[in-house]
């Protein structure tokens, strides 16, 4: 099945689009996506490929995709997992969750994290009493592991459970990477969309310690006056 997926992705490549994506995902030396390579396939087309093959592709196929130097191969591999997960048995879900964590080094750009972490890590851990893996990931030296930790909680947020997101946000307040500032601010904003009082309580306590980018993302949905109050303080 890997060969079929590979052939289909190669047939969709677009050199001009690939050059645009190389710049967009910061692939130059010294940038966060250094060395990543693109075929130039838009995400909707990648989703179509994943939907077509998720029922027949195995974890062996996905592993091959994830270890590819091509960004689109890795994203399709992750999309396959996100489509497989809801239709899997509890045993299979655990296997997919573990597989995801075992191949975490391949999940090495923000879109790969954002399109998969909540749907696999968050969905699996939601009913689990022990969520310590999120805090281990949040303390990792790997920026993508830290982003997975906070973005995974988007699944919890969608089910109106905010406690882990808030704990992780506090843990990541002093993170040095802009991509973590954005992710934490994004999750805080999502909490605010569902319960503004919870967001405001967190902001009132920690806004002075929050990086500017994180704060801007977090307050984006608040009223103009409310936003100005936090930015001026």
């Amino acid at each position: 099945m890997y060969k079929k997926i590979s052939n289909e992705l190669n047939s969709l490549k677009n050199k001009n689009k690939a050059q645009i994506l190389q710049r967009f995902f910061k692939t130059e030396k010294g940038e966060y996506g250094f060395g990543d390579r693109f075929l130039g396939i838009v995400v909707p087309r990648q989703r179509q490929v994943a939907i077509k093959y998720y029922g027949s592709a195995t974890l062996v196929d996905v592993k091959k995709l994830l270890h590819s130097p091509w960004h689109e191969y890795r994203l399709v591999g992750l999309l396959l997992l996100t489509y497989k997960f809801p239709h899997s048995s509890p045993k299979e879900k655990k296997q997919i969750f573990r597989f995801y964590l075992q191949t975490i080094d391949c999940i090495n750009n923000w879109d790969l994290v954002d399109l998969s972490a909540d749907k696999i890590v968050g969905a699996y851990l939601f009913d689990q009493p022990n969520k310590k893996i999120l805090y281990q990931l949040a303390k990792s030296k790997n920026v993508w592991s830290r982003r997975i930790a906070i973005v995974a909680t988007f699944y919890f947020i969608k089910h109106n459970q905010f406690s882990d997101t808030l704990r992780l946000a506090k843990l990541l307040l002093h993170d040095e990477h802009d991509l973590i500032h954005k992710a934490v601010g994004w999750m805080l904003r999502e909490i605010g969309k569902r319960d503004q009082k919870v967001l405001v309580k967190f902001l009132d306590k920690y806004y002075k310690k929050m990086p500017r980018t994180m704060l801007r993302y977090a307050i984006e949905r608040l009223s103009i006056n409310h936003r100005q109050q936090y930015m001026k303080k």
Side-chain angles (χ1 to χ4, degrees), residues 99-146:
F99 174 85
Y100 187 94
L101 295 180
Q102 289 167 358
T103 54
I104 209 165
D105 288 343
C106 304
I107 308 169
N108 56 356
N109 218 314
W110 59 263
D111 63 321
L112 303 179
V113 173
D114 295 358
L115 291 173
S116 64
D118 65 312
K119 296 173 182 64
I120 298 173
V121 178
Y124 179 77
L125 291 176
F126 181 66
D127 292 322
Q128 302 295 320
N130 187 344
K131 297 178 176 62
K132 66 179 182 181
I133 183 63
L134 292 178
Y135 299 88
Q136 293 171 356
L137 290 171
K139 295 176 182 178
S140 171
K141 293 181 179 180
N142 184 321
V143 63
W144 309 119
S145 293
R146 302 199 301 277

Side-chain angles (χ1 to χ4, degrees), residues 32 35 44 95 129 137 198 201:
Y32 62 75
Q95 185 180 17
L137 290 171
V198 173
K201 183 178 180 181

Side-chain angles (χ1 to χ4, degrees), residues 58-217:
T58 66
L59 291 184
V60 173
D61 297 318
V62 175
K63 187 173 183 179
K64 290 180 181 178
L65 290 167
L66 289 179
H67 282 89
S68 170
W70 297 110
H71 187 97
E72 289 90 344
Y73 276 49
R74 300 197 303 281
L75 180 52
V76 167
L78 293 167
L79 291 173
L80 287 168
L81 294 180
T82 66
Y83 293 134
K84 274 181 172 294
F85 190 88
H87 304 288
S88 300
S89 67
K91 182 178 179 180
E92 290 168 336
K93 287 181 178 179
K94 186 175 183 179
Q95 185 180 17
I96 291 173
F97 169 74
R98 287 182 171 178
F99 174 85
Y100 187 94
L101 295 180
Q102 289 167 358
T103 54
I104 209 165
D105 288 343
C106 304
I107 308 169
N108 56 356
N109 218 314
W110 59 263
D111 63 321
L112 303 179
V113 173
D114 295 358
L115 291 173
S116 64
D118 65 312
K119 296 173 182 64
I120 298 173
V121 178
Y124 179 77
L125 291 176
F126 181 66
D127 292 322
Q128 302 295 320
N130 187 344
K131 297 178 176 62
K132 66 179 182 181
I133 183 63
L134 292 178
Y135 299 88
Q136 293 171 356
L137 290 171
K139 295 176 182 178
S140 171
K141 293 181 179 180
N142 184 321
V143 63
W144 309 119
S145 293
R146 302 199 301 277
R147 189 166 175 115
I148 285 170
I150 188 68
V151 174
T153 67
F154 195 11
Y155 188 91
F156 306 167
I157 294 170
K158 291 173 184 175
H159 291 80
N160 294 312
Q161 291 191 15
F162 310 136
S163 58
D164 285 292
T165 306
L166 296 172
R167 291 192 199 103
L168 288 165
K170 180 181 177 181
L171 185 64
L172 294 167
L173 278 177
H174 302 292
D175 197 285
E176 296 181 355
H177 207 295
D178 183 61
L179 288 173
I180 301 302
H181 302 168
K182 292 177 179 177
V184 173
W186 170 27
M187 291 302 106
L188 290 172
R189 183 176 73 236
E190 291 297 332
I191 289 177
K193 286 163 65 175
R194 293 159 176 83
D195 193 329
Q196 187 170 305
K197 290 182 179 179
V198 173
L199 171 62
V200 169
K201 183 178 180 181
F202 184 89
L203 291 174
D204 286 346
K205 189 172 183 179
Y206 296 111
Y207 76 92
K208 291 182 180 179
K209 300 178 181 179
M210 294 172 70
R212 208 68 170 170
T213 298
M214 186 186 297
L215 180 59
R216 283 200 299 268
Y217 270 61

Side-chain angles (χ1 to χ4, degrees), residues 50-58 80 84:
I51 290 171
K52 181 177 179 180
Y53 291 106
Y54 82 86
S56 51
T58 66
L80 287 168
K84 274 181 172 294

